[in-house]
Amino acid sequence: MTTTTSAGDTGGTGPLAARLARAGQRLRQADRAHPWVLDTAVAALVFLMFCLPDLLHHGGPGDRDGDGRRRFRFVFTQLPLAAVLALQAGLVLPLLWRRRRPMTAFVAIAVVFVLQWSLGAALRADIALFVALYSLALHGQLRRLPWAGAVMAAGMVLVAVRVSPAVSVWDALFFLLSTATAALAVGLTVRTRRAQLAGLRERAARLETERDQRIRLATATERARVAREMHDIVGHNLSVIITLADAGAYATDTAPERGKEALQLIGDTGRTALGELRRVLGVLREASDGARRTPELSPQPGLADIETLCDGVRTAGLEIVYRTVGEVDALDRGVQLTVYRIVQEALTNTLKHAGAGTRVDLSVVVEDERLVIRIRDNGPAGHHGPWNEEGHGLVGMHERAALYGGTVSAGPAADGGWAVEAALDLTPQAGSR
C-alpha cells in the first residue's frame, strides 16, 4: 500500500520554514545594506534589559530586603550614579563595533569589567562581556581566541573571589566559566555554519560556471563540426559545378551534345549537394511548437561512397585511379566518414588548382591498427600555392584526423605534382568494440 504525505500532515512546517527563510534572507540583505542598525539595536537592547534596572534601583531600599539579599548586597560597593553611568557606557558602547573590530571591542569591555570588579561593584551590564566574547568567536581571528579565553578566565576568577563571602568560589567559577564557554561555543557554531553555507554557495556558483562553460564548449564543437560538414559539401560540389559549367560553355559551340551532358551533370551534382545540405541542416531545425522535426536522413557517406565521389570528379575532367588495401569494409562508420571527407577535400583542391586532365592516384590502406590515405596528382609542382588559402580545408582535415589520433601532411611531391598523406590510429576504435 502506498501512502502520501500532504502539507497538512506535517503541520504546515514546509511553508513556515520557507517564510522564515525568506524573512531571514531579507534581514541579512538589510543588515548588509545598513550594518549599523543591528549593532545599535544590540547595544540598545543590552541597555534596556540590563542597564536600566540598575539605574532605576540605584540607592533604593536594598537594606529592607530579605536576609539573603542583604548579605549578598553587603559584598558590593555602592557607587555614585555618575560612576555607574560611566561604567555602563564603557561596557555597552564598544558593542557598536563588535562586528567590525571584535578584538578591540572585547578588550575595551574587558578593561572596564576588570576596573568595575576591582572597585567592588556589580552591574547587570556585565553581560556585554559575554556578548563581546560571542562576537569575537564569530567575527574575529581564531588565533586570538586563546588570549581572549585567558583574559575571560582571569576575569571570572576575579568575580568568583569578590562574591566568595556570599557564594562558594567553585560554584561561582562553575557558573561563570560555563556561561563563557556557552558564549564561545555558540559563536564558533554559528561561524562554522556560515562557513559551510558560504562554501556551498561558492560550490554552486562554480558548478554553474562550469556548466555554462561546458555548454559553450559543446556549442563551439558542434558549430565547428557543422562548419566542416558545410565546407566539405559546398566546397566540393561547387568546385565540380564550376568545372562542369566551364567545360559546358566551351563545348556548346563545338559539341552541343557534350554541353547538354555537362548541364545534366551540373543538375545531378546540385541535387546531390542539396540533399546533403538538407541532411546536415535538418538535424538543427526545430518545429515551431518546440518538437524536433524529423528530417529525411540518408546514411553518412563511407568508403563505399568514395567510388561514387570519384565518378563525379571524373566527369569534371580528373583522371582518378582508386584502390584499397586491407579490411576496409570492417572499419567503424566514424572512421569511414573521416576518410571520405579527407579524400573529398583533397580531390576538391586538386580539381580547383590543377584543373581538368590531371591524373590522381588515390589509395586507402589498412595496416594492422593504422590506416593511411595517399592522394597524389601529376599537376605542376607549385599549382596548389598556399594550401587552400580561401578556406579552412587543411585545418578541417587536421581536425578530422586528430579525432583518431592521426596526422595530415600536404606538399609538393619529390618527382613533381602534389601529395597529401593522412594517417589514422585505429587502436581506440578497436578497443571500444
Side-chain angles (χ1 to χ4, degrees):
M1 181 177 63
T2 303
T3 59
T4 58
T5 302
S6 63
D9 298 333
T10 59
T13 56
L16 177 61
R19 286 194 294 270
L20 291 176
R22 288 194 295 269
Q25 185 177 5
R26 286 194 293 269
L27 287 176
R28 286 191 296 271
Q29 292 175 350
D31 182 45
R32 284 193 293 268
H34 307 285
W36 58 270
V37 175
L38 179 59
D39 296 333
T40 304
V42 170
L45 184 63
V46 171
F47 175 80
L48 293 175
M49 294 183 62
F50 301 100
C51 296
L52 195 59
D54 282 339
L55 296 177
L56 294 177
H57 295 90
H58 185 268
D63 294 339
R64 293 195 296 270
D65 293 340
D67 293 339
R69 175 164 293 195
R70 253 198 328 269
R71 182 166 57 89
F72 190 74
R73 285 175 175 264
F74 180 73
V75 179
F76 304 113
T77 303
Q78 187 75 16
L79 297 177
L81 181 59
V84 172
L85 287 173
L87 291 173
Q88 287 181 342
L91 292 170
V92 175
L93 290 180
L95 293 178
L96 293 174
W97 62 83
R98 65 182 182 87
R99 293 190 295 177
R100 288 168 293 175
R101 298 183 179 274
M103 190 63 186
T104 303
F106 176 81
V107 171
I109 294 175
V111 169
V112 177
F113 179 86
V114 171
L115 175 62
Q116 168 211 320
W117 282 96
S118 299
L119 296 175
L123 297 175
R124 292 181 175 88
D126 290 337
I127 193 69
L129 184 63
F130 297 98
V131 176
L133 181 63
Y134 161 82
S135 300
L136 179 62
L138 179 58
H139 303 289
Q141 299 179 6
L142 295 179
R143 60 185 177 85
R144 295 182 176 179
L145 282 182
W147 297 100
V151 172
M152 194 75 179
M156 298 303 101
V157 169
L158 176 61
V159 175
V161 171
R162 296 295 296 180
V163 301
S164 58
V167 183
S168 169
V169 173
W170 298 111
D171 291 342
L173 277 178
F174 175 78
F175 173 76
L176 294 172
L177 292 178
S178 296
T179 306
T181 303
L184 185 64
V186 171
L188 291 176
T189 301
V190 176
R191 183 187 188 122
T192 303
R193 178 62 176 169
R194 289 184 178 179
Q196 290 174 345
L197 292 177
L200 290 175
R201 286 192 292 268
E202 181 182 357
R203 182 171 181 270
R206 186 171 62 253
L207 290 176
E208 185 176 357
T209 301
E210 292 176 356
R211 181 202 63 189
D212 294 339
Q213 290 175 347
R214 286 195 298 269
I215 292 175
R216 287 194 293 269
L217 180 61
T219 302
T221 302
E222 183 64 15
R223 286 177 177 173
R225 186 192 68 80
V226 174
R228 285 197 303 267
E229 292 289 328
M230 297 288 289
H231 174 271
D232 293 337
I233 295 170
V234 175
H236 169 74
N237 289 287
L238 282 181
S239 296
V240 174
I241 289 173
I242 291 171
T243 303
L244 289 173
D246 292 340
Y250 176 78
T252 298
D253 297 332
T254 59
E257 66 281 358
R258 296 300 301 271
K260 180 179 179 181
E261 182 183 354
L263 291 176
Q264 291 175 344
L265 292 174
I266 289 174
D268 293 339
T269 304
R271 280 186 290 271
T272 301
L274 182 60
E276 292 192 20
L277 286 176
R278 284 175 176 171
R279 173 179 54 78
V280 173
L281 298 178
V283 296
L284 304 177
R285 190 181 300 117
E286 294 183 356
S288 58
D289 58 357
R292 185 174 293 275
R293 181 179 302 156
T294 303
E296 296 181 1
L297 300 178
S298 60
Q300 290 274 37
L303 286 176
D305 300 291
I306 292 182
E307 189 62 48
T308 304
L309 174 67
C310 292
D311 291 339
V313 177
R314 287 189 185 103
T315 60
L318 292 184
E319 180 184 350
I320 301 177
V321 178
Y322 169 53
R323 67 186 182 91
T324 61
V325 179
E327 299 292 333
V328 295
D329 294 334
L331 293 174
D332 179 79
R333 292 295 302 176
V335 176
Q336 294 194 35
L337 175 62
T338 298
V339 174
Y340 180 90
R341 292 306 186 193
I342 291 176
V343 171
Q344 184 184 50
E345 180 62 33
L347 294 179
T348 300
N349 281 279
T350 299
L351 181 63
K352 182 187 303 182
H353 296 286
T358 303
R359 175 186 170 90
V360 180
D361 292 317
L362 166 63
S363 64
V364 178
V365 181
V366 177
E367 303 170 343
D368 295 330
E369 301 299 333
R370 188 167 177 266
L371 184 147
V372 180
I373 308 166
R374 296 185 179 94
I375 306 102
R376 178 178 172 181
D377 63 59
N378 63 351
H383 68 272
H384 284 270
W387 178 267
N388 200 19
E389 59 186 0
E390 299 173 359
H392 305 279
L394 186 58
V395 175
M397 294 168 69
H398 276 297
E399 290 177 351
R400 290 186 181 278
L403 294 176
Y404 295 92
T407 58
V408 176
S409 60
D415 53 351
W418 193 267
V420 177
E421 181 171 322
L424 307 183
D425 184 8
L426 303 180
T427 303
Q429 285 67 44
S432 63
R433 287 194 292 266

